[in-house]
Amino acid sequence: MPSIQKTGQRCQDFGEDGALDLMHNMPFQQAGYYYSTSAPVVAGGVIIVAGAVNDNYDVNSPSGVIRAYDVNTGELMWNWDSGDPDNTAPFDVNDPTQVYRTSSPNSWSTASADEELGLAYFPMGNRTPDQLGSYRNAAEEKYATSVVALDLKTGEARWVQQFVHHDLWDMDTPAQPTLLDLNTADGVQPALVIPTKQGDVYVLNRATGEPIVPIKERDAPQGYLIAGEHASPTQPYSGLSFAPEKLTEKDMWGASLIDQMMCRIEFNKLNYDGRYTPPSTNGTLVYPGNFGTFNWGGLAVDPENGVMFGMPTYLAFTSKLIPKDTLGDVGDQ
């Protein structure tokens, strides 16, 4: 091993020729549909790998499974699939009949770990298609758009905190959880701080998942839904938030008066009842949009001075559902 470390050669006793093929046991293996967008987590003797699944490309896409491999040999130790979360025993990588769940919610951003607690914390995305909820099972509904704490030894989910119920807006949890010990009225707590695309910042006890900063539910818009779809009647809000105010006509911008007028006309054409207005066939304004108030960059926290550093941005986007029968022959996509 020392000679390999000095030369940069692949470790022959890790995986196959020093590499792991992450397409093993995947239900669908379209080229370019699955890839790792963040570094693995190495903790507790395992290397934990997640990956991104392309948004809205196909209802039949690779799984969002999170897998742990022995850090020295590359042997699969456990697999946690948000579409089948209770089955964490490692699959046989050579058995084609053992297949992970199709298109299950994935984790494309950066994870964190606490070896003393034996937990890894993964920001979770949504199931594809991201703006249509009719394909989701109960487990996917539970773990999508959340942060989940996985046991380093078994892969079992110890706790989960969801940030959007029945996510129809591609509000994937986008950033690495920040871990710190936080002074509170109840004493020092092991804390986890994580921002969201919609602008809320959640502060949780990372051992239990219980909120340190209060979380409440508010009524959410219900209109414009297509047949067979539903919107959650309420959505969670954190007591610490950078969510922007609801947009109005006067917020529309243009380089000239004509440009501003045209922007106001477009604004009034779209469905918009504020945050969490459901996608529609007419066209919906989503604000904050899926580029987020916060995104991949995450947060930095100074625990001694009680200061958090972040870079919120405010960008809207539009969402429009196109009925399949208006598109002609598009296959199964």
Side-chain angles (χ1 to χ4, degrees), residues 24-28 34 49-50 53 61-68 76 78-91 98-107 124 126-127 137-144 148 150 154-157:
H24 71 78
N25 303 102
M26 283 294 183
F28 295 91
Y34 176 88
V49 185
V53 177
S61 292
S63 172
V65 63
I66 297 170
R67 291 167 286 191
L76 181 64
W78 53 258
N79 30 232
W80 184 79
D81 188 335
S82 57
D84 184 21
D86 296 328
N87 185 19
T88 63
F91 281 19
Q98 289 190 294
V99 180
Y100 299 123
R101 291 301 177 101
T102 300
S103 306
S104 53
N106 60 89
S107 181
M124 294 299 297
N126 204 354
R127 178 189 168 131
N137 66 29
E140 290 165 345
E141 291 278 33
K142 177 179 179 178
Y143 289 103
V148 62
L150 301 182
T154 66
E156 296 173 347

Side-chain angles (χ1 to χ4, degrees), residues 180-184 193 203 213 240 242 300-310:
L180 70 152
D181 293 329
L182 190 64
N183 289 315
T184 72
V193 182
V203 184
V213 172
L240 177 60
F242 294 82
V301 179
D302 177 352
E304 291 187 6
N305 294 303
V307 178
M308 183 185 77
F309 301 86

Side-chain angles (χ1 to χ4, degrees), residues 265-284:
I265 291 172
E266 290 301 313
F267 173 77
N268 284 302
K269 287 181 180 179
L270 295 167
N271 297 336
Y272 181 60
D273 292 332
R275 187 171 161 185
Y276 302 124
T277 304
S280 61
T281 55
N282 177 69
T284 292

Side-chain angles (χ1 to χ4, degrees), residues 16-198:
E16 294 187 15
D17 191 25
L20 296 171
D21 182 356
L22 297 179
M23 298 310 294
H24 71 78
N25 303 102
M26 283 294 183
F28 295 91
Q29 302 189 11
Q30 308 97 315
Y33 276 50
Y34 176 88
Y35 39 90
S36 292
T37 50
S38 295
V41 172
V42 179
V46 292
I47 176 170
I48 312 174
V49 185
V53 177
N54 282 342
D55 292 348
N56 301 312
Y57 273 41
D58 197 328
V59 297
N60 295 319
S61 292
S63 172
V65 63
I66 297 170
R67 291 167 286 191
Y69 302 88
D70 184 277
V71 73
N72 294 308
T73 67
E75 178 187 358
L76 181 64
M77 305 304 291
W78 53 258
N79 30 232
W80 184 79
D81 188 335
S82 57
D84 184 21
D86 296 328
N87 185 19
T88 63
F91 281 19
D92 182 344
V93 300
N94 297 310
D95 184 352
T97 67
Q98 289 190 294
V99 180
Y100 299 123
R101 291 301 177 101
T102 300
S103 306
S104 53
N106 60 89
S107 181
W108 52 260
S109 190
T110 306
S112 300
D114 183 329
E115 288 191 293
E116 289 188 6
L117 292 175
L119 296 175
Y121 307 95
F122 281 86
M124 294 299 297
N126 204 354
R127 178 189 168 131
T128 186
D130 298 68
Q131 296 170 46
L132 195 64
S134 56
Y135 295 92
R136 303 169 190 168
N137 66 29
E140 290 165 345
E141 291 278 33
K142 177 179 179 178
Y143 289 103
T145 317
S146 69
V147 62
V148 62
L150 301 182
D151 189 293
L152 287 174
K153 292 183 178 180
T154 66
E156 296 173 347
R158 294 267 202 93
W159 58 259
V160 61
Q161 174 62 58
Q162 189 168 66
F163 307 129
V164 181
H165 307 319
H166 194 63
D167 184 0
L168 301 174
W169 305 272
D170 189 23
M171 290 297 183
D172 298 353
T173 309
Q176 182 179 29
T178 300
L179 310 184
L180 70 152
D181 293 329
L182 190 64
N183 289 315
T184 72
D186 297 321
V188 177
Q189 295 193 51
L192 176 150
V193 182
I194 189 164
T196 62
K197 288 183 177 181
Q198 55 271 36

Side-chain angles (χ1 to χ4, degrees), residues 172-236:
D172 298 353
T173 309
Q176 182 179 29
T178 300
L179 310 184
L180 70 152
D181 293 329
L182 190 64
N183 289 315
T184 72
D186 297 321
V188 177
Q189 295 193 51
L192 176 150
V193 182
I194 189 164
T196 62
K197 288 183 177 181
Q198 55 271 36
D200 290 335
V201 176
Y202 288 82
V203 184
L204 310 172
N205 183 303
R206 67 177 182 268
T208 65
E210 292 298 315
I212 295 174
V213 172
I215 300 171
K216 297 182 179 180
E217 296 276 332
R218 295 180 186 168
D219 293 340
Q222 297 294 295
Y224 320 117
L225 294 163
I226 62 173
E229 186 56 279
H230 73 277
S232 174
T234 65
Q235 293 289 355

